[in-house]
Amino acid sequence: MTGLLVAAAFVTAVLSGMAGMGGGTLLIALMFALGMQPALALPLHAGVQFAANASRSVVYGSHVRWRALALFALTAVPGPFLVAPWVVDANPDWIRLLLAVFVVMAVWPSWAARLKIHGRGGLLAAGAIAGVLGPVVGATGLLVAPFFLRDDWRKEQIIATLAVAQAGSHLLKIGAFSLSGFNVFARLDLLLPMALAALLGTLVGRRLHGVFSERGFRLAVRAVMIVLALRLAWDGLGGLWP
């Protein structure tokens, strides 16, 4: 199992490095598809993704929009501590069904634009999504990213601010799950090799960026995500109605 998880962390990080995002969503879907229980998968995923986002935060640190992050934090901080206790005791099959719905939403993130929430309201909405849904589905990058795509920010500012927001969200989840009885640092045998694989995969993905056509590559990633969503929905329904 450890080898499969490390390979999944590496491959999804490569895909994320090539596509710009989406690796975290694929990783948590794969962890559930491999049969990992939510009480282990979600905190472990948070630890791996914290390492990946923290590295981007350091690289782009000088471009962070801190005032925007303060708004994001207002609604992002309380969520994990309210939701994590429920997730630890929840039926894993319901979590799989919720994750399947989330993956489908992440495939078509244009829904966020229809909400027409921008500026400060958008950052508050992004924090609420990350805080409440993050402990349940793991990766929320594809859902909150549209709220950070602002015309008055440079590309580096978008990348930097989103990376810090994501790193902070994952750190909050680690703390919330620890208070609920699961300390991810007790599983360093999984956390360390997966985090290192994710960091290496990110570097490889950046090197491979541009090798494939962007349109074709994104279609392929979406196809994989849909297959995983169907697998999660099948497993969840099978567990609920045997």
Side-chain angles (χ1 to χ4, degrees):
M1 176 66 78
T2 300
L4 289 175
L5 291 172
V6 172
F10 175 77
V11 172
T12 55
V14 170
L15 294 175
S16 185
M18 295 172 66
M21 59 182 66
T25 303
L26 283 172
L27 178 58
I28 190 63
L30 283 170
M31 292 169 76
F32 273 85
L34 288 171
M36 185 172 284
Q37 294 299 304
L40 174 59
L42 291 164
L44 182 60
H45 177 269
V48 174
Q49 292 302 301
F50 170 75
N53 283 283
S55 65
R56 284 197 294 274
S57 301
V58 172
V59 173
Y60 292 97
S62 61
H63 300 284
V64 176
R65 300 294 296 259
W66 294 105
R67 289 185 179 180
L69 281 175
L71 288 171
F72 176 87
L74 282 176
T75 49
V77 171
F81 298 96
L82 297 173
V83 176
W86 172 81
V87 173
V88 170
D89 297 325
N91 186 326
D93 293 312
W94 280 114
I95 300 294
R96 290 186 177 90
L97 285 176
L98 287 173
L99 183 56
V101 173
F102 161 74
V103 171
V104 173
M105 291 177 64
V107 170
W108 288 284
S110 58
W111 61 270
R114 299 178 182 177
L115 295 178
K116 296 182 179 181
I117 302 176
H118 306 290
R120 294 179 179 179
L123 292 168
L124 292 171
I129 291 171
V132 174
L133 290 182
V136 183
V137 299
T140 57
L142 289 173
L143 295 183
V144 303
F147 299 103
F148 286 81
L149 300 177
R150 296 174 50 161
D151 294 335
D152 57 335
W153 288 8
R154 299 190 307 274
K155 179 181 179 181
E156 294 82 4
Q157 292 175 322
I158 294 173
I159 294 173
T161 309
L162 181 58
V164 175
Q166 287 293 92
S169 297
H170 291 303
L171 190 60
L172 287 170
K173 285 187 288 182
I174 292 172
F177 278 110
S178 296
L179 291 176
S180 299
F182 188 91
N183 182 5
V184 68
F185 297 106
R187 294 303 309 267
L188 290 177
D189 58 315
L190 292 175
L191 177 60
L192 287 179
M194 289 182 69
L196 290 173
L199 292 174
L200 179 60
T202 299
L203 295 175
V204 173
R206 288 177 180 174
R207 292 268 185 173
L208 295 176
H209 182 72
V211 173
F212 304 98
S213 72
E214 184 171 347
R215 182 176 182 276
F217 183 76
R218 288 182 179 272
L219 286 174
V221 172
R222 285 178 175 177
V224 172
M225 293 173 73
I226 289 297
V227 170
L228 284 173
L230 292 173
R231 166 66 187 273
L232 291 169
W234 179 266
D235 289 345
L237 291 171
L240 292 172
W241 293 284

